Amino acid sequence: MAEQYEAVIGLEIHAELLTESKMFCGCRVVDSVAATPNTAVCPVCLGMPGMLPVINRRAVEFALRVALALGCDIQPHNIFARKNYFYPDLPKGYQISQYELPIGRHGHLDVTLPGGETRRIGIRRVHMEEDTGKLTHLERGGSLVDYNRSGVPLLEIVSEPDIRSGEEARAYATRIRQILRYLGVNSGDMEKGVLRIEPNISLRPRGSQAFGTRTELKNLNSFRALAEGTDYELARQAAVLDAGGQVTQETRGWHDTRRETFSQRAKEEAEDYRYFAEPDLPPLTLDDNWIVTARAALPELPQAKEARYTGQLGLSPGEAAALADDRAVAEWFDAAVAAGGAPKTLANWILNDLFRLLNERGRRIDDIPVAPAALVALLDLVAQGALNLNSARDVLAEMLDSGRAPADIVAARGLTQISDEAALLALVEQTIADNPDALANYLGGKTALLGWFVGQVMRATRGQANPAVVNRLVAERLAARGPG
Ligand SMILES: [Zn+2]
């Protein structure tokens, strides 16, 4: 993109909430890909005349958590509004949404950019609404509509236009998804469409405060598509402006195989929707107690975990980010540290050995019979010299499979590392006495045979001798026999 332009990007993120039932009726929320179409529907979410919506309390609770986690001012007096438009996936002819009084406003999110710099992105609003149905256009013509998704609770998170590139958009959206998962309100599965990210993209002359004409990008089903689509659109707009043309305000789609954007339809303005307060719903008032309780119940969020891991525990930024990425992993690590483990050693073992073993077995950390304290006990055996590293890795694998305690596995398999000097010295003496030819060659000048004697002792102990002790003893005993 040409240097004379500044990119101005804001993100709208739609997240389906992980509630049992829909936003305004008792229908179950079902997997929109797996479930038989139009089986989780009722007169309310089909928009039948005379139906009356009722607000889902759990959806409000989830929205409140997100708004609090994003540092928003919480709006105690909430009004739902009708957003009127016609589309076949919207049976009522309007969507119930929040317009003038959303649950959260004026929040922010600190995002670490790929270069390590931290940027604060403003959050303009967080509001509740309902999802639409799903259309499938047939190749031979005609379309099918599935209303299972109609009325599923949806949260919209709107950023300020503080984002400046595709990579920044990716970093911001990745962090939002991570927080939604931490809060347990969304699975983050973009392939299934439960998290949908739509950037608004425009250019303006560098130094200008006015906004250029924006386009909105849809159909982004991955973070990679978000970054690439945004950069593609910035370059396309720059080319239009460079040629003396004007950017058209419109919604554009991202073609995932051609990796380019294409025009979908003219973008509506807010006034096109003729918003008015939803007459079938009373104002929703959040009392102070509810807000205070929800705030107190927030988990430690990933940014705070990363800062604590690097600041207090001495981990690298990469280790901190890898451990904090998934809440279950982070909490497992926290519990291991609380059980007395050394943070740096634990980080190494979790990120390398444990992750590898989990991958091989297709399991998750919250689904294994190994308590965090058991890993600490295993690493204590290593630190005490009772177990060498290779044996410790084998023991960890068996802990995952059997759930047995590390000391039991070590005892049952006879893996205890032999560090006892008297026992090892006797073995060293025996090995030298059993191999007079090798000894003669050694004394005759073949000093490389020292390593061979060490190998014999290690083999005699099935690898469980402490190698450092054996090395020292062999060198001492050979030196005592004469010059090497
Ligand atoms: Zn329903």
Side-chain angles (χ1 to χ4, degrees):
M1 190 184 66
E3 267 304 298
Q4 69 264 34
Y5 302 117
E6 180 180 45
V8 178
I9 303 161
L11 255 55
E12 291 175 12
I13 298 185
H14 286 93
E16 280 183 10
L17 296 174
L18 282 172
T19 52
E20 296 281 323
S21 58
K22 293 188 181 181
M23 186 71 209
F24 301 113
C25 63
C27 289
R28 281 174 306 120
V29 173
V30 296
D31 186 316
S32 66
V33 178
T36 308
N38 298 308
T39 51
V41 291
C42 75
V44 175
C45 55
L46 287 174
M48 299 291 180
M51 56 79 195
L52 284 175
V54 177
I55 301 169
N56 180 333
R57 182 183 173 91
R58 192 146 179 85
V60 178
E61 167 77 28
F62 282 0
L64 180 58
R65 274 188 210 169
V66 175
L68 287 167
L70 296 176
C72 290
D73 296 337
I74 303 302
Q75 177 77 243
H77 187 69
N78 282 261
I79 301 285
F80 284 93
R82 282 190 185 181
K83 179 180 182 179
N84 297 280
Y85 66 96
F86 175 76
Y87 208 65
D89 63 10
L90 189 70
K92 293 196 293 290
Y94 58 86
Q95 180 188 33
I96 304 179
S97 179
Q98 287 192 292
Y99 184 53
E100 283 168 331
L101 297 172
I103 190 167
R105 285 189 293 193
H106 312 307
H108 59 82
L109 181 64
D110 291 330
V111 174
T112 309
L113 302 178
E117 181 203 348
T118 297
R119 281 274 311 280
R120 175 160 288 194
I121 309 294
I123 306 285
R124 179 176 293 174
R125 55 190 279 137
V126 172
H127 76 243
M128 294 174 277
E129 58 187 33
E130 58 178 334
D131 212 343
T132 61
K134 211 172 68 175
L135 284 174
T136 304
H137 302 292
L138 302 176
E139 275 184 28
R140 63 174 184 274
S143 300
L144 301 175
V145 63
D146 175 11
Y147 290 118
N148 282 349
R149 206 179 69 179
S150 173
V152 168
L154 201 60
L155 200 64
E156 181 167 343
I157 303 165
V158 183
S159 86
E160 294 292 348
D162 295 341
I163 297 166
R164 298 286 169 260
S165 71
E167 270 311 312
E168 287 189 28
R170 182 210 289 251
Y172 165 84
T174 305
R175 189 61 110 182
I176 292 277
R177 177 172 76 163
Q178 189 183 41
I179 290 171
L180 295 176
R181 283 176 162 169
Y182 258 67
L183 298 174
V185 303
N186 181 275
S187 70
D189 193 342
M190 292 176 72
E191 291 280 331
K192 283 194 173 167
V194 299
L195 187 70
R196 308 192 283 272
I197 303 173
E198 290 158 10
N200 282 293
I201 302 164
S202 65
L203 291 178
R204 65 183 170 194
R206 202 166 283 282
S208 160
Q209 291 303 307
F211 292 121
T213 304
R214 69 180 195 276
T215 56
E216 183 177 329
L217 202 51
K218 286 185 185 287
N219 305 355
L220 301 168
N221 62 3
S222 68
F223 289 126
R224 177 172 166 232
L226 168 65
E228 282 187 24
T230 300
D231 286 338
Y232 180 95
E233 192 53 24
L234 290 170
R236 188 192 67 83
Q237 291 186 11
V240 169
L241 296 174
D242 282 346
Q246 285 190 332
V247 174
T248 309
Q249 179 165 329
E250 62 184 347
T251 299
R252 296 178 69 86
W254 170 247
H255 199 295
D256 213 37
T257 42
R258 289 209 295 268
R259 315 214 74 74
E260 61 187 31
T261 68
F262 59 95
S263 179
Q264 282 187 318
R265 58 185 158 93
K267 170 74 182 164
E268 298 86 352
E269 292 289 353
E271 51 267 30
D272 294 335
Y273 292 120
R274 294 164 287 118
Y275 282 99
F276 62 89
E278 167 60 59
D280 289 338
L281 287 171
L284 169 71
T285 304
L286 309 182
D287 62 47
D288 279 352
N289 190 34
W290 192 0
I291 299 170
V292 168
T293 308
R295 191 189 300 277
L298 285 182
E300 184 182 31
L301 293 171
Q303 314 95 294
K305 282 197 185 290
E306 286 174 17
R308 184 163 59 78
Y309 292 168
T310 53
Q312 287 177 28
L313 302 185
L315 303 187
S316 72
E319 289 167 333
L323 287 169
D325 186 41
D326 179 330
R327 182 176 169 185
V329 172
E331 291 184 346
W332 204 93
F333 168 73
D334 287 340
V337 172
K344 193 86 181 171
T345 311
L346 281 170
N348 271 327
W349 275 81
I350 293 172
L351 295 176
N352 297 306
D353 297 285
L354 187 56
F355 273 17
R356 176 177 50 77
L357 293 168
L358 290 172
N359 268 336
E360 286 168 5
R361 287 158 177 74
R363 302 184 74 166
R364 292 177 42 83
I365 203 164
D366 46 6
D367 155 47
I368 53 172
V370 180
L375 176 60
V376 176
L378 175 68
L379 300 184
D380 281 348
L381 293 176
V382 175
Q384 292 156 12
L387 196 62
N388 68 35
L389 284 176
N390 279 332
S391 299
R393 292 196 177 96
D394 292 343
V395 171
L396 182 60
E398 189 173 332
M399 288 163 67
L400 245 73
D401 294 332
S402 71
R404 293 172 71 196
D408 292 349
I409 297 169
V410 168
R413 290 172 52 174
L415 290 172
T416 306
Q417 176 167 269
I418 306 164
S419 300
D420 174 41
E421 289 221 8
L424 288 176
L425 182 59
L427 251 173
V428 168
E429 292 283 16
Q430 185 67 45
T431 304
I432 292 172
D434 287 350
N435 295 283
D437 294 350
L439 176 63
N441 285 336
Y442 174 83
L443 294 175
K446 288 198 167 178
T447 53
L449 282 167
L450 189 150
W452 181 84
F453 279 107
V454 171
Q456 295 304 301
V457 176
M458 292 304 292
R459 184 158 6 141
T461 62
R462 291 187 298 133
Q464 286 154 48
N466 182 324
V469 175
V470 172
N471 245 301
R472 179 166 53 76
L473 292 175
V474 168
E476 281 173 14
R477 296 325 297 161
L478 287 177
R481 301 294 181 119

